[in-house]
Amino acid sequence: MAAKSPKLSLACTILILSHKLSFASASCFTSIISFGDSIADTGNAPYLSPESGRPPFYTLPPYGETFFNHPTGRCSDGRLIIDFIAEEFELPFVAPFLQGGRNGNVNSTSFRDGANFAVVGATALEDSFFDERGVTVPLANVSLVAQLRWFNQFLSKICPTTSSDCKGFIETSLVLVGEIGGNDYNHALLGGIKEAEVRSFVPHVVNIIGSAITELINLGAVTLMVPGNFPIGCSSAYLTYFLSENQDDYEPATGCIKWLNRFAQYHNDLLKKELARIRELHPHTTIIYADYYNAVMDLYRSPIEHGFAGGALGACCGGGGPYNCNLTVHCGYPPSNTCDDPSLYVNWDGMHFTEAAYKWIALGLLKGPYTTPPLSTVCPALISSSHGRLYHPM
């Protein structure tokens, strides 16, 4: 009998141990503060959409159907990575900053468990960068710089009289900086800009992320988690846009586009170097790299073993075609179609993942090997959580 595949053993172990994310106490943090794009937005974007005209796709069914039973502004059928992280730390889902209104009417009570500043479509870089290079940003953009301005506005309202209160709030929070930067490349690559030019964006994107981390540390952040980019060559949208008859363009084991995944790895390599640089400057701050790339690559390499019988590359909800992705017919708008069971699919709508996939990614971060330093060393309570069901790769 052949030896067990390490990937298969890992998948089976997580499946057995974590059929449900019903975590026990792991209260290392009192709140979560989040920045980013649609991977983390829990409902800010709908507050920014025009009151007239066609509603945004993420405010329409079938978005939200799996867990919430209605759209919430999340770009998935259910929960996101940030939601599973919140559940792990026994915190409520992180409230979108704009639920206090467009003017940010907040108070210390309504956001005592944290606040989410992430927005669908957000970029790390500001609009002027893209304007100068002829890149169209299709949505109302709230860049990472703008999100930090929101955060400072937020702080001035929840602790207007003393900065020490804010410092305590931030010190005991898990601060999620991203995923951010993906849209800086999406808008350009899917808008026809050549790879070589878009590759030149990467140092600018990473520098902005580094500056944001430094600003947050100066404001009092002690524990920050910074995700890298996903393997975009496996995205249904990219597979559709860059469809090729040349089989050498694709990875044999996954069917993903090689050069796009190399691009994502280039971003991640520069980001890890930037994080190492900041760690040296701030040795008493914990900066965790979240390896989204390899966490989700497990699913692309062996979707069936992870329970994704519908496959990893085709979208559950989309407008048809080889990957059920039509860049002019988005999920939520007719005549798009939706699969019967999203839990059998990795990809949700061409660009985003299903709740089931986000759950696996979250488990890989919380219980698995996809954080550096390991999250369990930052929060030892993770080791004994999940009602004693430990994560033991075999």
Side-chain angles (χ1 to χ4, degrees), residues 132-135 193-202 263:
E132 292 167 2
R133 292 159 178 80
V135 177
I193 306 298
K194 298 297 183 183
E195 178 200 3
E197 182 174 355
V198 182
R199 194 177 180 87
S200 72
F201 296 5
V202 179
F263 182 96

Side-chain angles (χ1 to χ4, degrees), residues 311-324:
L313 302 181
C316 167
C317 182
Y323 300 99
N324 193 31

Side-chain angles (χ1 to χ4, degrees), residues 194-378:
K194 298 297 183 183
E195 178 200 3
E197 182 174 355
V198 182
R199 194 177 180 87
S200 72
F201 296 5
V202 179
H204 299 281
V205 169
V206 170
N207 285 342
I208 285 290
I209 296 172
S211 296
I213 293 168
T214 300
E215 180 176 344
L216 289 164
I217 292 171
N218 290 337
L219 287 169
V222 173
T223 308
L224 303 96
M225 181 184 289
V226 187
N229 202 352
F230 291 107
I232 59 175
C234 306
S235 159
S236 306
Y238 275 105
L239 287 164
T240 298
Y241 187 85
F242 291 104
L243 188 65
S244 172
E245 295 181 358
N246 183 358
Q247 290 306 303
D248 289 339
D249 290 339
Y250 298 92
E251 298 172 355
T254 62
C256 304
I257 298 174
K258 295 177 183 176
W259 70 267
L260 284 164
N261 280 356
R262 287 195 297 267
F263 182 96
Q265 288 172 318
Y266 173 59
H267 166 93
N268 293 342
D269 288 343
L270 289 193
L271 179 61
K272 285 185 279 188
K273 289 178 182 177
E274 176 68 0
L275 298 185
R277 183 189 70 82
I278 299 172
R279 287 188 190 108
E280 288 188 3
L281 295 174
H282 301 278
H284 301 296
T285 300
T286 301
I287 302 174
I288 303 163
Y289 174 70
D291 188 359
Y292 280 11
Y293 185 99
N294 284 303
V296 76
M297 277 304 294
D298 277 352
L299 310 186
Y300 290 123
R301 293 187 186 105
S302 52
I304 301 301
E305 289 85 346
H306 287 81
F308 294 101
L313 302 181
C316 167
C317 182
Y323 300 99
N324 193 31
C325 181
N326 183 327
L327 299 179
T328 62
V329 179
H330 205 286
C331 176
Y333 297 140
S336 64
N337 64 82
T338 307
C339 66
D340 292 332
D341 187 352
S343 71
L344 301 180
Y345 289 75
V346 172
N347 191 287
W348 167 242
D349 63 1
M351 289 298 292
H352 307 100
F353 298 97
T354 60
E355 176 185 275
Y358 281 133
K359 177 179 178 179
W360 278 103
I361 297 167
L363 279 166
L365 305 178
L366 293 163
K367 303 293 183 181
Y370 299 116
T371 52
T372 306
L375 193 54
S376 59
T377 65
V378 178

Side-chain angles (χ1 to χ4, degrees), residues 99-120:
Q99 78 171 14
R102 292 189 184 223
N103 295 321
N105 297 318
V106 302
N107 59 64
S108 57
T109 302
S110 58
F111 289 96
R112 66 176 178 268
D113 299 307
N116 193 344
F117 301 90
V119 180
V120 172

